[in-house]
Every structure is written in C-alpha cells, then in structure tokens.
Amino acid sequence: MQEKSEVNTDIPNSSKEEFWLTEYGPRNTAISLRVKYKLFEKKTPYQKIEIFDSYDYGRVMALDGFIMLTEKDEFIYHEMIAHVPLFTHPEPKHVLVIGGGDGGAVREILKHKSIEKVELVEIDEEVVKTSKIYFPEIASYLEDERVEINFQDGIEYVKFKHGVYDIILIDSPDPVGPAVGLFEESFYKNAFASLNDSGIIVAQSESPFIFPDLIKRVFSIFKKYFPIVHFYIANVPTYASGMISFVLGSRKFDPIKDFNPERVKSFVSTLKYYNEKVHLASFALPNFFINLLK
Ligand code: SAM
C-alpha cells in the first residue's frame, strides 16, 4: 500500500523556509517537488485533495498523496491518453471518460471535430470544482455543450450501457480507494460491453517499474475480450519512475496498421507532445516491457 505524502519540512542542510511535497512510492522510492505554498486541501468522502504551488512545475494536484497532474507536464499524459485512440478510430463521435475530473482528457478529446458527445463519469464532484478554480486552463473545457458530467462510480456506470461508445478512456488514479475496482476484470468486462462493435478502450496502466504485476494481469484480461491489444508508453517527469503505460483494447481498428498519419498533420500545431511519429513510436516497447507480456 503506498504511503501518503506529507509536506516534508525536515530536509537536511536546508533552511526551514523550504517546503517539499513528497510522494512516497511502494518500493523505497519517492519523488519530491519543492513547493511555495499549499493552496488548498480538502478531505472528501473519497480522497484527500491537495493543490500546491511548486517552483518548477507550476500548480500541482495530489490525490491521497499521489501526484496526479502538474501544470508543466500534464499535456503529455492527456495528449497521449486521448489522441492515440482518437486517431486510431476513423471517426470518433461518442466518448466515455471514467475518472478524469481535472478535465485534461476532455480538453484533448474536444479538439477532434467529429466529437458529438463526451460523457465524463467522475466519482468525486470536489475534484471538478477544485480543478475549475485552480486549473481553469484545463478544466474550463468541461463547460463545453458536448460534455455531460455524471458524478458517479464508473464501475457502476458501465453496467448499464451496452454497445454505446466509440471510445472509452479510463483516466484513473493509482489503484487505491475508489479506483481499485477500475483495475478489475469485472469492470473491464462491463466496459467492453459498453463499446459499440468498432469501439476502442484505453486505460492508464501505470509504470512497468512500479506495477509490473498489474500490467501482466491487465494484459491477460484484455486479451480475453479484445482481438487487438497493445501497450504504449510515455515519459512523464512527475510520475514515479518517469514512465507511464497505457493499455489499448480494440474491437476492430489497429492503432498501428490502421493509423493514417495524414489525419494528424493538420492537428499538430495545437499539440505539445503527440504527433504522427510519436503515435507509432509509443508502441515500440523496450525489451523488459515486452518480456513482462510474455
Ligand atoms: N488525469 C490525471 C492525470 O493527469 O493523471 C489523473 C487522473 S484523474 C485526477 C483521476 C480521477 O479518477 C480522480 O478525480 C478520481 O476522483 C477519479 N476516480 C477514482 N475512482 C473512480 C471511480 N471508481 N469512478 C469514477 N471516477 C473515479
């Protein structure tokens, strides 16, 4: 079980006015960001939400002590969770986002002209409220008329939707608290059934350095339900180990064979990380990751 963060004021050989946000990992590792202030803290029925103002990464959101996003590098994760599936699907119209209450994934989805409706299912209304105040450049897209927000448990929500979605993004935190069930087979089975017959699911599947067993387990589950399963990776400086993976399950379209780079070229000017070469390169897994999947 990962430990909680704390604002650690006991850094050796530093003056007292230095404050650090430290996220303690499960394997004797930690990541620390020097912060100026803690701007907000609230214990909701689901988690502790903290917002900090950091020196090097702008504002930072932490949930139960885990760094969720920073102003400086959130674009990497949000562009990669959204554009890889949306450029794999020929014409995505109806998208479900589970989690993602900060609005970053929704912001990226809405850049696609084909989008008609985005359903965001976020269990904690406080995350949306807080994001709108402290991360307006991310959360403001949640006001778009194409977005419908449901403050519900995503695990329950997918039980009652069949054959609906072109794309489902599981933009979850680490497998703790209400998010534990978002990494279970029963949830994935219901999410699979919620897709239409050419649908695609992408879930953030953690770091292969920290969660190798989770990645193996998720792979074996996805292989049961999807004819096409791929992992892809991105480097996020403020995520423990610096590497995050995504698992993509697709009923019809392959993210490599069916990918048309021409579709991306006119888009790239609005993006800071994703482009047609990054799309393909992100599926080139290092040997240690490939061996995890054997
Ligand atoms: N998008 C961020 C990033 O850059 O990594 C982090 C993910 S987002 C903040 C994770 C969200 O999932 C949180 O707002 C949390 O409240 C929500 N969440 C956790 N469990 C959930 C569940 N079972 N159903 C719906 N939302 C859930």
Side-chain angles (χ1 to χ4, degrees):
M1 185 65 181
Q2 294 199 353
E3 314 226 337
K4 304 266 184 284
S5 78
E6 58 197 19
V7 184
N8 184 346
T9 58
D10 301 327
I11 303 284
N13 64 46
S14 71
S15 57
K16 264 294 179 201
E17 76 274 11
E18 285 198 1
F19 289 90
W20 294 72
L21 161 64
T22 298
E23 172 190 311
Y24 294 96
R27 300 179 191 270
N28 311 311
T29 55
I31 176 167
S32 290
L33 299 177
R34 187 170 168 226
V35 296
K36 297 172 191 166
Y37 321 97
K38 181 184 276 195
L39 299 169
F40 175 84
E41 176 180 326
K42 182 165 189 175
K43 186 87 178 73
T44 78
Y46 303 99
Q47 55 213 337
K48 182 165 89 169
I49 305 174
E50 295 170 291
I51 309 289
F52 299 89
D53 190 5
S54 76
Y55 282 92
D56 292 356
Y57 281 87
R59 288 185 174 175
V60 181
M61 177 197 288
L63 296 180
D64 274 347
F66 304 125
I67 297 170
M68 286 292 128
L69 67 89
T70 80
E71 281 181 315
K72 184 168 182 178
D73 67 3
E74 56 82 14
F75 67 92
I76 302 169
Y77 171 92
H78 290 129
E79 289 184 19
M80 289 304 281
I81 197 170
H83 298 304
V84 170
L86 270 81
F87 277 116
T88 297
H89 194 288
E91 196 182 14
K93 293 180 181 170
H94 194 175
V95 181
L96 169 64
V97 178
I98 293 175
D102 51 270
V106 168
R107 176 192 66 199
E108 296 306 316
I109 293 163
L110 293 175
K111 290 178 181 174
H112 292 253
K113 291 193 181 62
S114 60
I115 294 298
E116 294 171 0
K117 185 171 183 185
V118 183
E119 292 170 40
L120 178 79
V121 180
E122 163 57 63
I123 200 165
D124 193 343
E125 186 171 0
E126 280 304 323
V127 171
V128 173
K129 281 185 190 160
T130 307
S131 298
K132 286 182 178 176
I133 296 166
Y134 293 100
F135 299 98
E137 76 292 346
I138 301 176
S140 57
Y141 296 84
L142 293 173
E143 309 288 343
D144 188 290
E145 59 182 12
R146 291 168 288 174
V147 179
E148 172 195 295
I149 303 181
N150 303 279
F151 297 116
Q152 292 179 42
D153 184 339
I155 296 162
E156 293 306 312
Y157 192 82
V158 290
K159 287 179 182 170
F160 307 101
K161 301 275 181 176
H162 290 280
V164 174
Y165 303 106
D166 298 311
I167 307 276
I168 298 178
L169 303 185
I170 305 166
D171 180 5
S172 74
D174 294 330
V176 291
V180 169
L182 296 176
F183 293 82
E184 299 299 332
E185 177 164 0
S186 53
F187 165 67
Y188 290 133
K189 188 174 171 198
N190 290 326
F192 172 79
S194 302
L195 288 173
N196 59 38
D197 57 11
S198 57
I200 301 171
I201 281 186
V202 165
Q204 76 88 353
S205 46
E206 300 290 356
S207 163
F209 289 100
I210 300 175
F211 290 97
D213 295 340
L214 179 146
I215 287 174
K216 276 191 243 183
R217 187 169 57 79
V218 166
F219 182 53
S220 63
I221 296 170
F222 267 59
K223 293 288 275 184
K224 277 191 200 170
Y225 296 102
F226 291 99
I228 299 166
V229 181
H230 290 276
F231 281 87
Y232 61 100
I233 53 179
N235 298 100
V236 181
T238 56
Y239 282 0
S241 85
M243 181 185 281
I244 188 86
S245 74
F246 301 89
V247 59
L248 180 147
S250 180
R251 299 183 71 161
K252 182 175 177 184
F253 300 109
D254 187 289
I256 299 168
K257 292 187 206 120
D258 299 319
F259 173 62
N260 172 6
E262 288 310 309
R263 284 179 62 194
V264 182
K265 290 207 169 111
S266 61
F267 223 91
V268 173
S269 59
T270 68
L271 305 178
K272 298 199 292 187
Y273 188 89
Y274 177 90
N275 61 49
E276 66 280 8
K277 293 189 172 66
V278 163
H279 176 108
L280 292 169
S282 68
F283 289 96
L285 300 178
N287 298 348
F288 83 94
F289 201 128
I290 294 168
N291 292 336
L292 267 186
L293 307 180
K294 280 182 179 148

